[in-house]
Amino acid sequence: MPAIAIIGAQWGDEGKGKATDLLGSNVDYVVKFNGGNNAGHTVVVSQEDGHSEKYALHLLPSGILTPGVTPVIGNGVVIDLSVLFEEIDGLNARGVDTSLLRVSANAHVIADYNRQLDKVTERFLGSRRIGTTGRGIGPTYADKINRIGIRVQDLFDEKILQAKVEGALELKNQILTKIYNRRGFTVDAVVEELRSYAARLAPMVCDTGLLLNQALDRDEVVLLEAGQATLLDVDHGTYPFVTSSSATAGGACTGSGIPPTRLDQIIAIVKAYTTRVGEGPFPTELLDDQGEFLRKAGWEYGTTTGRPRRCGWFDAVIARYAARVNGVTDFVLTKLDVLTGLEQVPVCVAYDVDGVRHDEMPVNQTDFHHAVPIYEYLPGWWEDISKARTFEDLPANAQAYVKRVEELSGARISVIGVGPGRHETVVVHPLI
Ligand code: GDP
Ligand code: IMO
Ligand code: MG
């Protein structure tokens, strides 16, 4: 059985959590392969009696909400252990069983000094800041690449942990005290904090790469769930306004230990319009009433930081780029319901950069900053579409919008979101 990856096509918050939850009952494992608690996935689970429960997940894969699914935190993730246990306790208190959770021994942990460094670096950058979530993500990945990171397995050998924290602090304390004029950290305090989680973490820790490959050998279904998205990917995104991990389909392999040859379905989640949190270029951004309309109608406020999300029209150049970079087999088009009530719905089909038309992402980031959207205007619809369950249930103009977006985006649209609930979904082609 092949592994399936779910990735974000834009700048995050496309509705990956809902899509993962939707597929939950058809899969055996759900793996988070990148990022950490910078992610925020809101999942609305409707009960049989019509009552619905809302969950906000950050570090745990969204599949944790489906009974029987084994949730896995892969080696590509950076873990804030206090957040991990807070999230587990929060779910347990609401009756969600988290006992199947498995955590990679090779995943890195976010130490207190990296949370601190994330915040002070942003302050130091001033107008050049990235607008990070302040969770210590960037500095922890930097340590990993710099080979001074602390891994989950280090927590179980006090001597090794002591030596590694000492090594890291030799550098980090210099930066904190001499560049940022802050207080340094003591080795003992950092070691003590990390060690305090060791006993509770131990039973969850294993070689998750082996676990997942063995599951695939047994014909079980493994779903890999990305945090963040294509344009926030450290290689393929709008660098430097990106996160520090590989959020694209390639990252699903390096971040889980599942080889590329076992991955043959790549599902990209794409919003029917575009949003972005934090700094960086965004060609279709709307700074007027129309942007406010999308923010209000789509409730575009960050799940993690509560920041209002920047909003703009659908950008087909970005969707095509995501289809290419990830090898997308299916798109899930989310939040189509949010566009209801517009006279016309603009879709960006290409960019004008200083008089030159670009049908693909400009090579140069400066050109992307200067990109002016070339819009096609499609007729809108007024009918409530939240009850639609088949493509034919959608009004003709909504159908035409989906068809045009599909033509422009380079892969078929298999599922359409018409509301936040699990059932508020139109399946055109079943995904699994
Ligand atoms: P993620 O980070 O990609 O998992 O997305 P978020 O959870 O941060 O943001 C997506 C938001 O849209 C959440 O509040 C979802 O409940 C909501 N959502 C997902 N799909 C739909 C949809 O089709 N329609 C509407 N109205 N809301 C949706
Ligand atoms: P989900 O998984 C939207 C953005 C931050 C900032 C940049 C770097 O919910 O789609 P970081 O703290 O990662 O170093 O911040 O990336 N960012 C997100 N934006 N959705 C996310 O996750 C994000 N995770 C990080 O706002 O611009
Ligand atoms: Mg989110």
Side-chain angles (χ1 to χ4, degrees), residues 27-356:
V27 309
D28 300 293
Y29 289 78
V30 175
V31 188
K32 179 177 171 85
F33 63 81
N34 75 304
N37 56 314
N38 49 348
H41 308 299
T42 302
V43 181
V44 181
V45 180
S46 352
Q47 315 290 345
E48 273 168 20
D49 61 5
H51 169 78
S52 62
E53 286 271 333
K54 198 171 178 175
Y55 296 90
L57 300 165
H58 299 281
L59 194 45
L60 294 169
S62 308
I64 198 137
L65 299 174
T66 311
V69 168
T70 302
V72 175
I73 295 184
N75 58 278
V77 174
V78 290
I79 307 175
D80 184 322
L81 292 161
S82 66
V83 173
L84 177 69
F85 290 117
E86 234 170 71
E87 213 165 298
I88 289 175
D89 290 342
L91 289 177
N92 291 164
R94 295 174 72 181
V96 178
D97 175 22
T98 56
S99 62
L100 294 176
L101 178 67
R102 293 293 168 266
V103 176
S104 168
N106 289 346
H108 284 241
V109 297
I110 301 179
D112 211 8
Y113 46 81
N114 281 332
R115 277 189 292 264
Q116 170 86 338
L117 272 167
D118 192 0
K119 292 188 186 118
V120 292
T121 309
E122 281 283 279
R123 243 172 272 150
F124 184 78
L125 284 171
S127 63
R128 288 178 295 116
R129 71 186 177 278
I130 308 295
T132 74
T133 58
R135 304 297 195 258
I137 305 294
T140 305
Y141 277 113
D143 284 2
K144 173 176 171 173
I145 302 300
N146 221 359
R147 294 164 295 190
I148 56 165
I150 314 290
R151 295 193 292 175
V152 162
Q153 57 181 280
D154 300 330
L155 265 53
F156 306 110
D157 185 328
E158 200 168 352
K159 254 182 146 165
I160 293 259
L161 182 63
Q162 183 93 17
K164 292 201 170 180
V165 171
E166 242 171 60
L169 280 182
E170 252 170 49
L171 176 71
K172 300 281 168 170
N173 276 343
Q174 300 276 349
I175 299 172
L176 278 166
T177 56
K178 296 195 175 144
I179 298 178
Y180 295 120
N181 205 18
R182 301 282 153 152
R183 222 178 286 142
F185 285 78
T186 68
V187 175
D188 286 349
V190 174
V191 169
E192 197 180 318
E193 200 227 324
L194 294 175
R195 285 278 294 170
S196 72
Y197 302 111
R200 196 170 171 199
L201 188 65
M204 304 172 193
V205 177
C206 68
D207 178 347
T208 47
L210 178 65
L211 178 81
L212 296 170
N213 277 284
Q214 286 175 336
L216 291 169
D217 291 342
R218 290 193 301 270
D219 269 351
E220 293 179 343
V221 183
V222 175
L223 184 66
L224 298 136
E225 179 194 8
Q228 295 75 54
T230 303
L231 291 181
L232 288 173
D233 180 281
V234 68
D235 282 275
H236 302 289
T238 46
Y239 189 91
F241 302 102
V242 291
T243 192
S244 298
S245 69
S246 300
T248 42
C253 295
T254 50
S256 69
I258 293 177
T261 45
R262 298 196 96 154
L263 206 67
D264 77 352
Q265 194 179 359
I266 315 286
I267 302 167
I269 317 302
V270 69
K271 226 181 267 196
Y273 51 98
T274 314
T275 63
R276 165 158 218 178
V277 197
E279 308 301 318
F282 178 177
T284 63
E285 181 170 20
L286 297 163
L287 299 166
D288 54 10
D289 289 354
Q290 291 180 309
E292 200 47 38
F293 165 81
L294 290 175
R295 187 155 36 249
K296 289 241 160 68
W299 193 250
E300 295 296 351
Y301 297 90
T303 310
T304 299
T305 58
R307 288 180 287 182
R309 295 173 181 151
R310 299 159 63 192
C311 297
W313 299 125
F314 186 86
D315 186 334
V317 182
I318 284 173
R320 279 199 293 278
Y321 177 71
R324 168 158 58 87
V325 167
N326 295 288
V328 171
T329 55
D330 303 85
F331 274 116
V332 173
L333 183 72
T334 61
K335 299 192 122 172
L336 185 64
D337 52 302
V338 173
L339 297 181
T340 300
L342 293 163
E343 193 88 35
Q344 286 190 316
V345 195
V347 172
C348 167
V349 294
Y351 305 135
D352 180 313
V353 182
D354 303 327
V356 178

